[in-house]
Amino acid sequence: MRDRRKGSTAMSTVALLGTGIMGTGMARNLLRSGLEVRVWNRTREKAAALAADGAVVADSPAEAVAGADVVITMLADGAAVARAMAAAVEGLSAGQVWAQMGTVGVASLRELAGFAEEHGLVFVDAPVQGTRQPAEAGTLVVLVGGPADPRLDPVFAAVGSKVLRVGEEPGAATRLKLATVGYAITVTAAIGEALALAEGLGVDPDLFARAVTGGPMDNPYLQAKMRAVLDRDFTPSFTVRGAEKDTGLIAEAAESAGVSVDLAVAARARFHRADALGHGDEDMAAGYFAGFPDQP
């Protein structure tokens, strides 16, 4: 029988539930580091692609987690995580460590932590900061709230270039993640709005790019998102629909804390319009199209 106690450094199997944009990159880096990885995804085809990399593709969450030392959830939202973990119950064992690494918001995290306590799991709040490219390169920033468990050390080392421990209780990392992702999302919305305004005023958007490049407002993130708009290359690193979801979580958390997040609320409205225009699965830089609500 495998030792799945907190003090054990033995690591043989990681179960990763959720192989979307982020989960796929993370799974490949876990495999490259020499870990045994089982993957599950609601749309099986997305998980099946990882078989060529050496992953074991499970038909159910329960099959994926059975006997695993570490369980990772990297799903779209709290409801999806709750459904997957409920379906995994028959395969769970007391003492397994569960790293919740997606962005689910404060309210959902409390419910998930309660589920973990009910089933005797070691629950670690560990959302990641980064998009497709860092996930594929293994350079995510892992924000960690919860107990330090040595079984997670090789996992975090495989998927991230930086681990930032922010508290002993689950929730601290999620609160920080909402602040950091809010910054990225609102900056992206501002870039799209500025480019749309330039175009609407009859200004070549490339002139905007030339005006800000090399000046005090310039930075690599601006260049990446601006280039996506100018080249009309919206290959998703983080989708419009994902940004809309996260700004909703930010607004929900802010309201409970008595904080006004006007930019996040405005950004959410822009991403909602872009989604309605058919850009929901594109990179969040496609929030640019929200500037032209009357155009298909």
Side-chain angles (χ1 to χ4, degrees), residues 106 175 178-179 182 247-266:
V106 174
R175 293 192 292 272
L178 292 178
T247 46
L249 296 176
I250 292 164
E252 177 184 68
E255 183 178 8
S256 68
V259 176
S260 295
V261 284
D262 305 307
L263 296 179
V265 171

Side-chain angles (χ1 to χ4, degrees), residues 23 31 44-45 65 74 98 102 123 136 139 151 158 176 178 191 224 241 245 265 295:
L31 289 160
R44 195 181 192 282
E45 290 75 16
V65 306
M74 195 66 196
W98 170 18
F123 185 69
E136 292 176 347
T139 56
R151 291 171 292 180
L176 176 58
L178 292 178
I191 293 168
R241 197 166 292 127
K245 181 267 292 185
V265 171
Q295 296 181 19

Side-chain angles (χ1 to χ4, degrees), residues 2-3 5 31 33 60 81 93 98 114 120 127 137 194 200 214 217 235 255 266:
R2 294 189 180 97
D3 185 353
R5 295 172 298 176
L31 289 160
S33 74
S60 69
V81 175
S93 301
W98 170 18
M217 294 183 290
T235 303
E255 183 178 8

